[in-house]
């Protein structure tokens, strides 16, 4: 089932004194439930504009975005319902949780606002959410964000995103601020949730290696245009577009580095 | 075997808070002239504290509790860094050892043109230079790092992140130091800009022959650019070896964990440990 559809979306910003800037140029793609699309590109390629359009911080200049087949409502109850269907996981788990509130509060709030479960079941639902993100409820439920590690915080942020039972998760660089040994755990969690619960996941990143391992399909953006798309392995291992090749050549790749060193002395250092 | 540039012996730093934190524990390390030494580890492992500590850049509550640092100057003189008085230390810093700081992109003064900020280095360390000589030296530095001399009058906000980072490298290069310590110099940059900066560092190193200590948590990156890599954990160096051996034959369990934390760009898909 198609969760998200970008249909010839263009976004033009007017820049004072510099005319117009096309942040997105005729971008089309669809995301099926249970699948993950990796959105890669360098700074300024348009990745964040896509996230901003999805969160309604921007509206497209032309084209249409549909979630579960419906165009994004502009206001009112429709917008509220939309925001229940699409949830974000942000880059910085230190900034996206409120330091004054307990983990329980963070998870109860979306449950209450969206009336997901009756009041009497709030506690059970919070515990269930913590279980789903592989956190031990008793160990974290009454704690505040500063008492948790970065990885635990990001899991709480994911649990919060899941609370209103969305059909799409937009994860914007969800692990780039985490310690390296915690990153795979969080990415594996997102992958499992996508697969097991039929969530569509839009994984926005500049890290080609994790995009390859955690996406079914990869879209490469450059200057607002999708320059290449395909299965993750095709795009990364057999890139067709010069820009994708450039991105790949710039990404650290010790395997290739040491292979080229032993093959021909000198290498490409 | 290349000769030593810096010898660190039994170096320890404690943060004197309650309870005290031993951030660096009895580190012994010899830096060889001309090499790139990668210093890898996760947040809180002590890598930045170690790099700052050997230049005595730490403030209270940090306390150097043991150890000696000897800088083997190109002139043949051995400088005991821990014995320098304040004035000697001031001359030593930046002249012999310079730094590219963490978050260097934001380390520039937003209200002064970059040319003036680069000139400051010469005003302080080369007081005999005339104004015209300083201007020329700054222009030359900006050419070397490929920002271009015409940008000397630009303010930091008028430059891209990559260009600001180049300005910081120009600043670190200004006095032709023998050692450059780079603390996460490319972390905030995207891969294409990062690659350009790395190329430039490598090229400058060939040209000027300085030694580099490169601090980052990005192990795949270090494996590509370093001659040797030191892995730090909880204040200790758990493994130190050539990049090639760290890659092909890591000894320490933690090194192995770190290595397996990065999915391979081109290797077999799905080889990701849980």
């Amino acid at each position: 089932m198609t969760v998200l559809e970008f249909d010839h979306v263009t976004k033009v910003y007017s820049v004072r004194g510099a005319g117009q800037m096309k942040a997105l140029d005729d971008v089309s793609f669809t995301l099926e439930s249970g699948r993950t699309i990796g959105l890669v590109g360098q700074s300024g390629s348009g990745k964040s504009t896509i996230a901003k359009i999805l969160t309604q911080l921007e509206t497209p200049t032309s084209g249409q975005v549909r979630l579960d087949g419906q165009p994004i409502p502009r206001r009112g109850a429709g917008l509220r319902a939309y925001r229940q269907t699409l949830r974000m996981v942000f880059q910085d788990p230190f900034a996206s949780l409120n330091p004054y509130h307990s983990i329980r509060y963070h998870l109860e709030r979306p449950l209450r606002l969206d009336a997901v479960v009756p009041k009497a079941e709030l506690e059970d639902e919070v515990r269930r959410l913590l279980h789903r993100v592989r956190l031990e409820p008793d160990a974290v439920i009454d704690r505040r964000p500063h008492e948790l590690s970065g990885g635990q915080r990001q899991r709480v942020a994911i649990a919060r995103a899941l609370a209103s039972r969305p059909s799409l998760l937009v994860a914007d660089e969800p692990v780039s601020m985490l310690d390296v040994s915690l990153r795979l755990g969080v990415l594996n969690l997102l992958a499992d949730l996508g697969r097991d619960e039929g969530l569509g996941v839009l994984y926005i990143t500049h890290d080609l290696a994790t995009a390859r391992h955690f996406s079914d399909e990869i879209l490469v953006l450059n200057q607002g245009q999708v320059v290449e798309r395909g299965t993750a392995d095709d795009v990364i291992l057999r890139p067709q577009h010069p820009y994708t090749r450039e991105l790949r050549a710039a990404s650290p790749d010790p395997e290739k580095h040491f292979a080229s060193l032993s093959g021909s002395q000198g290498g490409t250092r | 075997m290349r000769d030593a540039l810096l010898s660190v012996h039994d170096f320890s730093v404690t943060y004197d808070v309650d309870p005290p934190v031993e951030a660096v524990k009895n580190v012994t390390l010899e830096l060889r002239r001309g090499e790139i030494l990668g210093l890898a580890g996760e947040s809180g492992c002590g890598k930045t504290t170690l790099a700052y500590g050997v230049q005595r850049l730490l403030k209270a509550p940090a306390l150097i509790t043991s150890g000696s640092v000897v800088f083997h100057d190109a002139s043949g003189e051995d400088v005991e860094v821990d014995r320098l008085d304040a004035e000697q230390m001031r001359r030593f810093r930046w002249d012999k050892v310079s730094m590219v700081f963490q978050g260097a992109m934001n380390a520039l003064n937003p209200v002064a043109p970059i040319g003036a900020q680069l000139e400051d280095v010469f005003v302080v360390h080369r007081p005999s230079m005339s104004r015209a000589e300083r201007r020329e030296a700054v222009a030359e530095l900006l050419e070397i790092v490929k920002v271009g001399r015409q940008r000397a009058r630009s303010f930091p906000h008028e430059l891209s992140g990559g260009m600001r980072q180049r300005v910081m490298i120009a600043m670190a290069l200004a006095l032709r130091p023998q050692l450059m310590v780079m603390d996460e110099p490319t972390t905030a940059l995207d891969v294409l800009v990062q690659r350009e900066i790395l190329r430039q560092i490598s090229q400058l190193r060939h040209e000027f022959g300085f030694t580099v200590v490169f601090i980052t948590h990005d192990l795949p990156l270090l494996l590509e650019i370093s001659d040797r890599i030191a892995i730090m954990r909880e204040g200790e160096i758990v493994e130190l070896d050539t990049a090639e051996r760290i890659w092909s034959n890591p000894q320490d369990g933690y090194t192995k964990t770190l290595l397996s934390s990065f999915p391979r760009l081109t290797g077999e898909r799905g080889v990701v440990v849980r």
Side-chain angles (χ1 to χ4, degrees), chain B residues 128-148:
Chain B
S128 61
M129 280 172 84
S130 72
R131 188 168 203 180
E133 284 171 336
R134 289 199 301 261
R135 290 263 158 91
E136 186 45 40
V138 166
E140 194 199 322
L141 281 172
L142 289 174
E143 287 296 325
I144 290 174
V145 297
K146 300 199 172 64
V147 170

Side-chain angles (χ1 to χ4, degrees), chain A residues 40-60:
Chain A
V40 303
Q42 70 188 116
S43 329
S45 60
K47 304 190 299 275
S48 299
T49 305
I50 288 182
K52 281 182 184 166
I53 287 175
L54 282 171
T55 46
Q56 278 284 288
L57 293 172
E58 297 287 355
T59 46

Side-chain angles (χ1 to χ4, degrees), chain A residues 42-43 179 181 212-213 250 253, chain B residues 42-43 190 224 265 267 269:
Chain A
Q42 70 188 116
S43 329
D179 255 335
S181 59
R212 171 168 169 243
H213 286 277
D253 184 3
Chain B
E42 300 186 87
S43 30
D190 71 54
E224 277 190 24
L265 183 65
R269 187 178 151 98

Side-chain angles (χ1 to χ4, degrees), chain A residues 42-43 179-181 183-184 188 192 206 208-210 212-213 215 232-233 236-237 243 246-255 257-258 269, chain B residues 42-43 190-192 194-195 217 220-221 223-227 243-244 247 258 260-274:
Chain A
Q42 70 188 116
S43 329
D179 255 335
V180 288
S181 59
R183 291 183 184 180
L184 287 184
N188 278 326
D192 290 348
H206 66 268
L208 295 193
T210 58
R212 171 168 169 243
H213 286 277
S215 315
D233 272 1
I236 303 299
L237 299 183
Y243 178 74
E246 211 183 311
L247 271 184
R248 198 191 119 171
S251 301
D253 184 3
E255 215 139 41
H257 171 71
F258 288 113
R269 173 103 43 97
Chain B
E42 300 186 87
S43 30
D190 71 54
V191 283
L192 294 176
Q194 166 172 289
R195 185 55 66 174
H217 61 268
L221 181 79
L223 285 163
E224 277 190 24
I225 62 164
S226 311
D227 297 307
E244 197 158 7
W247 167 254
L258 273 189
S260 63
S261 296
F262 291 93
R264 304 284 156 78
L265 183 65
T266 47
E268 205 179 320
R269 187 178 151 98
V271 192
V272 180
V273 222
R274 298 225 155 188

Side-chain angles (χ1 to χ4, degrees), chain B residues 196-220:
Chain B
E196 274 171 45
I197 300 274
L198 291 175
R199 272 201 201 108
Q200 182 148 58
I201 292 170
S202 151
Q203 189 200 333
L204 292 173
R205 196 178 63 110
H206 274 292
E207 206 175 326
F208 298 100
F210 51 84
T211 306
V212 176
V213 173
F214 198 105
I215 306 174
T216 180
H217 61 268
D218 190 344
L219 197 50

Side-chain angles (χ1 to χ4, degrees), chain B residues 43-65:
Chain B
S43 30
C45 74
K47 53 191 195 298
T48 299
T49 305
L50 173 63
Y52 278 51
V54 297
Q55 304 173 67
R56 290 171 46 195
L57 282 171
L58 297 168
K59 301 191 278 204
L63 199 65
I64 297 172
T65 50

Side-chain angles (χ1 to χ4, degrees), chain A residues 66-120:
Chain A
R66 286 184 285 271
L67 190 69
D68 291 333
Q70 300 296 315
I72 303 182
R74 293 288 170 82
R75 56 181 73 82
L79 180 58
R80 205 102 165 236
Y82 168 80
R83 289 195 165 137
Q84 211 172 318
T85 326
L86 173 144
R87 288 279 160 166
M88 293 282 299
V89 177
F90 297 98
Q91 183 170 6
D92 186 353
F94 300 85
S96 63
L97 300 178
N98 188 330
Y100 288 106
H101 291 301
S102 67
I103 303 309
R104 180 197 308 273
Y105 178 90
H106 279 94
L107 298 182
E108 272 185 4
R109 198 152 162 80
L111 293 174
R112 281 170 190 270
L113 282 176
D114 293 327
V116 181
V117 290
K119 241 180 176 171

Side-chain angles (χ1 to χ4, degrees), chain B residues 153-175:
Chain B
R153 300 178 72 172
S154 299
F155 287 88
H157 75 266
E158 295 173 303
L159 305 178
S160 67
M163 281 172 109
R164 273 181 274 177
Q165 193 58 272
R166 286 164 198 267
V167 171
M168 293 306 297
I169 291 172
M171 199 177 278
L173 192 66
L175 306 176

